[in-house]
Amino acid sequence: GAVVSQHPSWVICKSGTSVKIECRSLDFQATTMFWYRQFPKQSLMLMATSNEGSKATYEQGVEKDKFLINHASLTLSTLTVTSAHPEDSSFYICSARDGGSVPEAFFGQGTRLTVV
Amino acid sequence: AQSVTQLGSHVSVSEGALVLLRCNYSSSVPPYLFWYVQYPNQGLQLLLKYTSAATLVKGINGFEAEFKKSETSFHLTKPSAHMSDAAEYFCAVRGGNSGNTPLVFGKGTRLSVIA
């Protein structure tokens, strides 16, 4: 089956530093990747949609200069949280689609970010 | 536009009892519908999906869901709950199959199973 690997699974960083989260599709080519943020006991909030080789499309209210998304290849997308602050602490989840007839998206394991 | 409403943020059932998690959707185009399960600090695992084929969809772990267009519903059921079913469940909709169309999630329902 389609596997999406997200790394790291958890990270702690100091305020003001940047953190990069990787999302890889292991056995399919992900033409589209989605990045979500999830607050405790809440649903997933879509942050941005990225297509390989193109700039990401950000949802309203998401700072594109703070949450840098790169989708340079068909198997890798990265989310970089720049100048992190404690309010950026959250659970970040990526998902990927292969662009074919399969309608569902496959999800990574998520990354728990804690900014201290 | 698409939206999902999950009735009940928390459902508690006894082990062996019927599980019923409710989901109603709104979509301006024929929808694709999904149920995902999330265990603590993990990503989402697909339980089942509706793609305009059979209206009764069977998924993994004994779960199934029925698409009812007249009621705009896609409720998730399981005849007999197991302790391992305790988790967060999300209903999601996608309007159309364009590659860029994201899933829209409901707020989730936490299922507790009592021994």
Side-chain angles (χ1 to χ4, degrees), chain B residues 83-102:
Chain B
M83 297 297 290
S84 60
D85 294 328
E88 190 84 19
Y89 291 81
F90 292 96
C91 182
V93 64
R94 168 178 287 129
N97 203 25
S98 165
N100 284 355
T101 307

Side-chain angles (χ1 to χ4, degrees), chain B residues 9-17 19 21 36-43 45 47 61 63 76 78 80-90 109-115:
Chain B
S9 60
H10 182 208
V11 170
S12 184
V13 300
S14 298
E15 191 174 20
V19 175
L21 305 182
Y36 285 87
V37 60
Q38 184 182 34
Y39 297 97
N41 293 309
Q42 295 188 28
Q45 179 183 11
L47 280 177
N61 301 338
F63 285 95
L76 181 71
K78 181 173 180 177
S80 176
H82 294 171
M83 297 297 290
S84 60
D85 294 328
E88 190 84 19
Y89 291 81
F90 292 96
T109 298
R110 182 163 60 92
L111 175 66
S112 297
V113 181
I114 304 169

Side-chain angles (χ1 to χ4, degrees), chain A residues 32 34 36 38 41-44 46 49 51 91 93 97 99-110 112, chain B residues 32 34 36 38 41-44 46 49 51 88 90 94 96-108 110:
Chain A
T32 306
F34 306 93
Y36 293 86
Q38 186 179 31
K41 301 187 185 301
Q42 294 191 29
S43 188
L44 282 73
L46 180 67
T49 302
N51 291 301
F91 195 59
I93 306 176
R97 293 192 68 199
S101 60
V102 175
E104 67 265 35
F106 302 95
F107 286 81
Q109 308 95 313
R112 171 72 60 192
Chain B
Y32 292 94
F34 310 86
Y36 285 87
Q38 184 182 34
N41 293 309
Q42 295 188 28
L44 275 68
L46 180 68
K49 62 184 177 184
T51 58
E88 190 84 19
F90 292 96
R94 168 178 287 129
N97 203 25
S98 165
N100 284 355
T101 307
L103 296 177
V104 175
F105 286 90
K107 292 187 175 182
R110 182 163 60 92

Side-chain angles (χ1 to χ4, degrees), chain A residues 53-66:
Chain A
S54 303
K55 289 185 177 180
T57 301
Y58 290 81
E59 295 299 299
Q60 190 173 9
V62 178
E63 300 177 61
K64 62 180 181 181
D65 294 331
K66 181 169 189 60

Side-chain angles (χ1 to χ4, degrees), chain A residues 3-79:
Chain A
V3 178
V4 176
S5 178
Q6 190 172 338
H7 178 80
S9 56
W10 60 270
V11 58
I12 301 173
C13 71
K14 293 183 178 180
S15 289
T17 62
S18 296
V19 174
K20 180 184 284 187
I21 301 170
E22 293 187 349
C23 181
R24 294 181 183 273
S25 57
L26 298 185
D27 51 3
F28 67 101
Q29 293 185 327
T31 55
T32 306
M33 286 189 170
F34 306 93
W35 287 94
Y36 293 86
R37 182 173 180 176
Q38 186 179 31
F39 293 100
K41 301 187 185 301
Q42 294 191 29
S43 188
L44 282 73
M45 181 191 75
L46 180 67
M47 299 175 66
T49 302
S50 72
N51 291 301
E52 183 265 338
S54 303
K55 289 185 177 180
T57 301
Y58 290 81
E59 295 299 299
Q60 190 173 9
V62 178
E63 300 177 61
K64 62 180 181 181
D65 294 331
K66 181 169 189 60
F67 298 100
L68 300 179
I69 292 171
N70 183 282
H71 191 168
S73 78
L74 285 172
T75 59
L76 174 65
S77 176
T78 61
L79 167 66

